Amino acid sequence: RMEEPRAAVVEHEFGTDVCYHERLANDVVRCLDCAHHCTIAPGKTGVCCVRKNYGGILRLIVYGHASNANGSDPVEKKPLYHVMPGQLTYSMATVGCNFACSFCQNWDLSQCARDLKEQLKESRPDMLDVEVSKLGYRLSPADLVEKALQHGNKIMAFTYSEPTIFLEYALDTARLAHQKGLKAVFKSNGYESAYAVSKMVGLIDAVNVDLKAFKDSFYQTECKARVQPVMDTIVRLKQAGIWVEVTTLVIPNENDSNEELAQYLPTHISTFTHTQDRAVPRLCRPAHPVARHPVPPRLQDDQQDTHAAVDASSGPRDWPTRRTQVRLQSH
């Protein structure tokens, strides 16, 4: 897959809905924001369903439309445990996602644009942008920052759905947030392209990456993606000087074998980030049943022990998971 732009690149301009993209022949465009690198024909959208080609210009149809925004989330909920601990964040998201995880905990937000696209496929596919734009509040980047300040928040968090799919909206907001003295953080699936990471530098202070499993077969089957781009993103974020923490949502009988967690979680990330200094905090969290993926009710005792051991080995001040409760472990 292409990682560096080669064709005519269209840059995003602050305050506009124009996405980072390449212009190809016949008004076809290639999105530059995530590792899918969707090639999009006129009138069509990428896999995220929120980036649409209008006559050779790729536009973000959810720019300025936040579907969830609140100032009550602790930063540990992202989860980021090494970025201004104890602070509440102003958290926001739009609809849409570039993954299709069967176990998504926020599927009603992340997958509703895809569901709308399917519903309109036969009758009015041209109405997708109109319908999607209704799924949110009109909030400009300046509006979001003002609300964060009104709530007394010191951190702007882009979370709930995948922030890469609304990258331009997020980065414009982060730029204004920094000007007001706020930090800006991502909760991400780690599918940013190299180009996207280069745009995040200086604007995004920290990223928690969901490393959903270590097996590519799991990513292909359960997420409709691949694992290698996620690993690549962890490396790039570290190299770019952006603080990184990593979370794995543990799904019983899916990605929780003792071998996978005990062998890979403490060592595999260090290998990919070229460090043995345990500088990437890592956390296991339990999956909870959702409408599209009922989760088995409990883990085996030997697996519980493995999860605790993995957390305890993965760096200072990590937060171990035991069944459905997360608790602080002192070091």
Side-chain angles (χ1 to χ4, degrees):
R1 291 183 183 272
M2 183 208 68
E3 277 292 1
E4 295 301 330
R6 300 170 187 169
V9 175
V10 177
E11 292 282 346
H12 167 73
E13 295 184 12
F14 180 87
T16 72
D17 62 356
V18 176
C19 303
Y20 299 111
H21 64 280
E22 292 178 324
R23 286 178 175 166
L24 306 177
N26 302 314
D27 286 336
V28 174
V29 301
R30 180 183 288 117
C31 182
L32 295 176
D33 281 11
C34 91
H36 286 302
H37 288 110
C38 295
T39 300
I40 306 170
K44 304 296 183 181
T45 63
V47 298
C48 62
C49 301
V50 298
R51 308 169 80 81
K52 183 175 179 179
N53 181 348
Y54 291 85
I57 298 293
L58 188 63
R59 297 185 181 276
L60 179 61
I61 61 180
V62 292
Y63 189 99
H65 295 271
S67 297
N68 196 327
N70 74 85
S72 59
D73 272 2
V75 68
E76 289 84 0
K77 185 180 175 182
K78 298 307 108 186
L80 285 162
Y81 291 103
H82 301 260
V83 179
M84 302 181 72
Q87 290 293 331
L88 296 181
T89 67
Y90 195 83
S91 298
M92 63 80 61
T94 73
V95 299
C97 190
N98 52 359
F99 278 20
C101 299
S102 62
F103 52 90
C104 181
Q105 308 286 284
N106 293 320
W107 63 271
D108 51 342
L109 179 68
S110 67
Q111 302 303 312
C112 63
R114 185 173 282 108
D115 291 344
L116 262 177
K117 185 176 182 179
E118 185 64 25
Q119 293 169 16
L120 295 170
K121 181 171 63 176
E122 300 298 333
S123 57
R124 292 296 304 274
D126 58 310
M127 291 293 290
L128 178 65
D129 48 354
V130 175
E131 295 301 321
V132 166
S133 66
K134 295 177 182 178
L135 301 175
Y137 310 97
R138 282 193 168 275
L139 291 168
S140 69
D143 292 334
L144 290 169
V145 173
E146 181 59 31
K147 287 184 176 295
L149 294 172
Q150 289 173 1
H151 280 82
N153 301 123
K154 293 182 171 59
I155 305 171
M156 179 69 66
F158 306 98
T159 179
Y160 306 134
S161 63
E162 173 50 45
T164 309
I165 62 117
F166 58 92
L167 182 71
E168 294 80 6
Y169 185 19
L171 295 188
D172 283 359
T173 305
R175 188 181 303 278
L176 295 181
H178 274 192
Q179 291 174 6
K180 297 295 185 177
L182 278 63
K183 298 290 187 184
V185 302
F186 270 18
K187 170 62 174 174
S188 175
N189 60 26
Y191 230 55
E192 288 89 345
S193 66
Y195 194 74
V197 171
S198 73
K199 298 299 181 181
M200 293 164 62
V201 175
L203 296 175
I204 303 301
D205 300 289
V207 180
N208 183 287
V209 176
D210 265 330
L211 184 57
K212 300 175 187 298
F214 296 97
K215 296 178 180 177
D216 197 54
S217 57
F218 180 96
Y219 265 85
Q220 291 185 64
T221 301
E222 301 295 337
C223 308
K224 305 301 182 286
R226 308 297 296 268
V227 67
Q228 187 60 51
V230 182
M231 293 296 193
D232 292 342
T233 293
I234 294 172
V235 174
R236 292 189 186 109
L237 291 170
K238 286 278 292 178
Q239 292 174 341
I242 297 172
W243 177 254
V244 182
E245 300 186 27
V246 174
T247 300
T248 297
L249 190 71
V250 179
I251 306 172
N253 307 319
E254 296 284 353
N255 65 350
D256 68 333
S257 70
N258 288 346
E259 178 185 7
E260 185 169 358
L261 287 172
Q263 178 179 351
Y264 290 103
L265 196 53
T267 60
H268 211 53
I269 296 173
S270 293
T271 299
F272 274 93
T273 54
H274 310 295
T275 179
Q276 295 297 325
D277 62 1
R278 302 194 303 175
V280 180
R282 301 176 293 277
L283 172 71
C284 290
R285 304 191 84 181
H288 300 284
V290 292
R292 298 188 178 189
H293 193 289
V295 176
R298 68 182 298 277
L299 306 178
Q300 298 299 317
D301 289 339
D302 63 335
Q303 291 172 317
Q304 291 288 343
D305 293 339
T306 298
H307 299 168
V310 164
D311 281 322
S313 70
S314 58
R317 298 186 303 282
D318 281 351
W319 294 61
T321 298
R322 299 288 287 185
R323 287 190 169 86
T324 60
Q325 185 177 17
V326 179
R327 58 179 181 147
L328 173 62
Q329 177 173 327
S330 299
H331 292 270

